[in-house]
Every structure is written in C-alpha cells, then in structure tokens.
Amino acid sequence: MINQFAYNEETVETKLKTVPSGFEVSVGENNYFVSEIAPGNFQVILNGAKKMVCCVVKGNRSYIDIDGLLIELEIPSDDGDMASSAAAHAVAKDKIFAPMPGKIVKLLVKEGETVEAKQPMVIVEAMKMENQVNSPASGTVKKINFKDGEQVGTEIPIIELELPVL
C-alpha cells in the first residue's frame, strides 16, 4: 500500500507492507520494521536500533512521537489536494496548539515576549510523554490562553502570536 503525507509543506510517500509480526515501512531509500506493542504504541527498528513510537490520529492529521521528537503529518484530502492543507497550515502560523489533548507541564514564554521561529514555547504532557511545541514563526506573544498544569485540547490555541507585517 502506498500512502502520501504532507510534512513541512512537502509530500512524503511511504510504502507499507504487512508481514506476520508487524509492518515493513519504506520511506524513500530507508526501510523500517514496525510492530505494535499496545494500541497507539509501536516499536520501530531503525538501522538496528529500537525506538519507541507513539502515534495518534485525529482527523486528517497524525502525530508521531519518537523519543520526544514530535512529528505532525497531514493526510491529503480525498482528491489528493495538498494545497488546501498547506494553506490551512499557513493560516495557523500565528497560533500554537497542543499536538494532542494533554496537560501543560510548563509554559516557556510570557505575553509580550519576542520569539523566533522554532523556539520552544510550551511543554505538553500527553500519553505519558512530554512534547515540546515550538513556534511555527517569528513574532510576539500576544496572548496565552492557559496556565501551567491546565488540561488542553487541540481546538483552542495555547498561545497566540502577533506576526510581523511584511
């Protein structure tokens, strides 16, 4: 089975083959062996090294946590249109959302603070793992909608940014 995902505004193609003890996944020239150890939790063998991977699918997005590194993949619409998803992604650059429902462990910025793209903004605990969420763009922290220790979903932004006018 061949699948396509949007990642960092690029299309990534994967090939998935079911085998008796799991899956073989090919991404470009790399081949991985994946076995499910619990619902949503997988063991992946990368170049002989074992990694624990947690995966949550919500709507047309998949969130994959590999040893604390959070990767967000977007599934294209049924007509294969990646443009609409890329546009939606661009609109959201002024908002920082939790990748999945969880608890805010620590806010790393304050309102009024100037931030750079990829700067760590907040740490969210979900599925017993801490995920660092980085800023999608440079700007100024306009509003913080939650406090440390509060539960968050994925619909209300944790942090809103004011982006510079170009």
Side-chain angles (χ1 to χ4, degrees), residues 37-149:
I37 55 175
N41 292 298
F42 301 88
Q43 179 181 48
V44 178
I45 299 177
L46 306 166
N47 301 324
K50 293 179 182 177
K51 300 281 184 181
M52 298 305 295
V53 176
C54 178
C55 181
V56 173
V57 177
K58 183 171 183 177
N60 67 338
R61 294 179 186 255
S62 294
Y63 303 95
I64 301 168
D65 186 317
I66 305 171
D67 289 342
L69 173 67
L70 185 65
I71 299 172
E72 179 181 342
L73 300 173
E74 188 165 352
I75 301 166
S77 61
D78 289 339
D79 62 0
D81 182 21
M82 296 277 196
S84 61
S85 60
H89 182 72
V91 169
K93 285 192 172 193
D94 63 339
K95 295 178 177 60
I96 290 126
F97 292 91
M100 57 188 95
K103 182 177 85 175
I104 294 179
V105 174
K106 185 170 180 89
L107 286 161
L108 304 171
V109 295
K110 296 178 181 170
E111 288 184 1
E113 187 173 328
T114 301
V115 297
E116 298 296 324
K118 300 183 181 179
Q119 178 178 332
M121 303 291 283
V122 60
I123 296 174
V124 178
E125 180 183 285
M127 299 182 73
K128 300 181 182 177
M129 289 187 266
E130 291 186 358
N131 301 288
Q132 177 179 295
V133 183
N134 298 334
S135 178
S138 297
T140 303
V141 177
K142 183 169 67 177
K143 186 175 181 187
I144 298 175
N145 297 312
F146 296 91
K147 298 176 183 168
D148 289 349

Side-chain angles (χ1 to χ4, degrees), residues 31-44:
N31 298 308
Y32 308 99
F33 177 76
V34 180
S35 60
E36 186 171 23
I37 55 175
N41 292 298
F42 301 88
Q43 179 181 48
V44 178

